[in-house]
Amino acid sequence: MPCAEPARERRTAPPHRTPPDRPAADGGAEPGSAPRGPAGGHIVLINPNTSAATTAMMTAIARRALGSGRSVRGVTADRGPGMLTDPAALRAAAPGVLAAGLRAAAGGDCAALVVGAFGDPGLAALRTATDVPVVGLGEAALREAAAGGTPFGVATTTPLLAEAVAARVTELGLADRYTGIRLTTGDPERLSADPRALLDALERAVRACAERDGARAVVIGGGPLGDAAEALRARCAVDVVAPIPAACRTLTRLLDD
């Protein structure tokens, strides 16, 4: 099967393997000290971009991942870009995420918050400002992929965020397991508008992470890539980590602890 274009960035790590349903990685503690939200309350998924369709898609994935025992409500940013494709957009999205999270927490029926972007904008601020558990897609997926020392890569559509991804990996203490990032070509928003082309491009990137870089797990880097990430789990032999289900697994552990 074909491999992707040459990687823009690469790192190596020793080969290890862990089961698909893995605990948090040992590269820093999973945030588990946040107080429990109200019993029976909503899980509020905050989409930092302005696409209501993306919010609906991510919320549907979260509902499937969490099961019927948890209620999930999606919230869409009221201003900003339709897709977060560069560091400036991530920074600009953070205040809106914080504001949306504070409004949700103040409602009294919020059990937990999910930051629905791979770059986790506003995540740290929300954890400081609220008394409910807060989970970010990027942090959850990266920790899960790296669990047990597994070498992992990232496949995504946003080349301008490659350095930010590497920095986040380092911040989480996972750099020794990071094999690098593989990027699709072309405009990310245009590619995302063509589901078949998006899936094919991401599949090539995932295969390159595994076959060329030695990754044993590959994270799909983007909340709006949620449907593609789900489909790739069935199309690729390597362990594909979809960020929304990974965040939901982290959240379940926090709420059930």
Side-chain angles (χ1 to χ4, degrees), residues 47 51-61 63 74 76:
N47 177 14
S51 170
T54 296
T55 304
M57 177 269 290
M58 292 195 297
T59 302
I61 294 173
R63 285 175 179 149
T76 306

Side-chain angles (χ1 to χ4, degrees), residues 1-175:
M1 296 184 182
C3 292
E5 298 81 11
R8 308 287 182 88
E9 178 178 277
R10 180 179 300 174
R11 301 184 69 167
T12 57
H16 296 278
R17 187 168 182 81
T18 55
D21 293 327
R22 294 173 293 201
D26 54 1
E30 178 179 88
S33 58
R36 184 186 299 270
H42 298 294
I43 308 301
V44 178
L45 187 152
I46 304 168
N47 177 14
N49 70 51
T50 58
S51 170
T54 296
T55 304
M57 177 269 290
M58 292 195 297
T59 302
I61 294 173
R63 285 175 179 149
R64 291 196 298 271
L66 289 166
S68 59
R70 307 237 186 235
S71 171
V72 184
R73 178 165 61 91
V75 174
T76 306
D78 57 6
R79 63 177 62 87
M83 188 173 178
L84 308 182
T85 59
D86 58 48
L90 279 179
R91 290 191 295 270
V97 170
L98 177 61
L102 291 175
R103 286 194 299 268
D109 63 347
C110 175
L113 296 165
V114 177
V115 178
F118 190 66
D120 295 336
L123 177 65
L126 269 180
R127 284 184 175 151
T128 299
T130 64
D131 60 356
V132 299
V134 186
V135 174
L137 300 191
E139 179 180 79
L142 292 169
R143 288 188 185 281
E144 183 172 296
T150 303
F152 72 96
V154 173
T156 190
T157 62
T158 49
L160 296 179
L161 289 175
E163 290 186 7
V165 170
R168 186 68 168 137
V169 167
T170 299
E171 181 183 3
L172 293 172
L174 308 176

